[in-house]
Amino acid sequence: MREIPGRRRRLLSSRLLSRRNDGRPELIGAALTFASQWQWPVLPGVAPESRGPARCACPDPECTVPGAHPFDPGLLAATTDPRMVRWWWTNRPSAPIILATGGRAPCAVSLPALAASRALALLDRRGMRLGPVIASPTRWSLLVRPYSLEQLGELLYAKDFVPGSLRFHGEGGYVALPPSETGQGAVRWERAPLPGSASPWVPGVEAVVDAVVDALTRTGVSAPEL
């Protein structure tokens, strides 16, 4: 994402702060649970543009993930400090919740929604245990244990074929968390963590990639190259 001059940044911040009265109280509660209870570093995302939900409030007119990414503050500001989280969502109560993946936080493997739905149904029939799954209207993300770039590279190199529709959210990446509202629609749990649990259990990336690639290459489950 391109950096913008100070004046444009101030205008952007003013637009975001002007939405203080349009907040959703469940967002701050969820953000505090992620940060203080589960120790997942989070930060507020850029809300969808009020003039059109498919547009983003960031300066990029062709933003491909409207409202579902960090901008001001940047990704490095993600924190588990409940005081900072409370301050952010008190001032920007409608902001999407963005998880900074990697490090000690979960990573994610995402794929198009329709293919993900079919793949999960197949994995359920096989009895595979999955962790939390995040669903948006366009893509679903399966949370996995943190992995390194080297680990992921070795895993993918060993495969004969990896669908181009798969995306990997590791160190330096991010995903929007429920119950955020982005320019692509509502973000929800397709597989929710157990209520009241400590940091949710997530599987290793190897098991998930092996199972998802196998499912996607089967007839009737293949995903578009998105």
Side-chain angles (χ1 to χ4, degrees):
M1 194 68 65
R2 296 190 304 272
E3 191 70 21
I4 61 174
R7 180 173 180 273
R8 291 182 67 193
R9 182 179 290 274
R10 289 194 296 273
L11 289 173
L12 172 63
S13 298
S14 297
R15 290 209 303 270
L16 296 173
L17 290 173
S18 70
R19 298 176 187 156
R20 292 186 60 169
N21 295 325
D22 300 327
R24 296 165 51 210
E26 69 271 24
L27 281 170
I28 189 170
L32 286 168
T33 294
F34 299 142
S36 60
Q37 183 174 330
W38 297 354
Q39 292 297 292
W40 290 4
V42 298
L43 75 164
V46 181
E49 178 57 67
S50 58
R51 293 173 295 176
R55 297 183 59 187
C56 190
C58 77
D60 185 354
E62 299 179 358
C63 180
T64 58
V65 284
H69 67 89
F71 177 72
D72 184 13
L75 187 63
L76 291 178
T79 184
T80 60
D81 184 346
R83 297 168 298 177
M84 192 71 236
V85 169
R86 189 179 297 278
W87 186 86
W88 274 333
W89 271 274
T90 297
N91 286 278
R92 293 165 57 177
S94 296
I97 304 169
I98 303 298
L99 167 68
T101 54
R104 296 184 179 180
C107 295
V109 178
S110 72
L111 60 158
L114 179 59
S117 175
R118 293 173 176 170
L120 261 63
L122 178 59
L123 299 183
D124 284 344
R125 290 195 294 271
R126 295 179 178 176
M128 180 176 175
R129 183 186 181 190
L130 293 172
V133 177
I134 303 166
S136 76
T138 57
R139 294 186 73 84
W140 291 12
S141 299
L142 288 68
L143 296 186
V144 298
R145 287 197 292 270
Y147 57 78
S148 67
L149 186 60
E150 292 78 11
Q151 181 184 4
L152 180 63
E154 291 176 1
L155 174 62
L156 299 181
Y157 181 77
K159 300 224 166 279
D160 294 329
F161 173 73
V162 177
S165 57
L166 283 184
R167 295 178 187 167
F168 301 92
H169 310 262
E171 185 77 30
Y174 55 86
V175 293
L177 292 171
S180 300
E181 189 77 32
T182 74
Q184 297 170 324
V187 180
R188 61 179 178 82
W189 293 113
E190 174 63 23
R191 303 288 172 87
L194 294 176
S197 63
S199 186
W201 177 87
V202 291
V205 67
E206 297 92 344
V208 168
V209 170
D210 286 347
V212 168
V213 168
D214 182 55
L216 290 180
T217 53
R218 287 176 173 264
T219 303
V221 188
S222 60
E225 299 294 309
L226 296 177

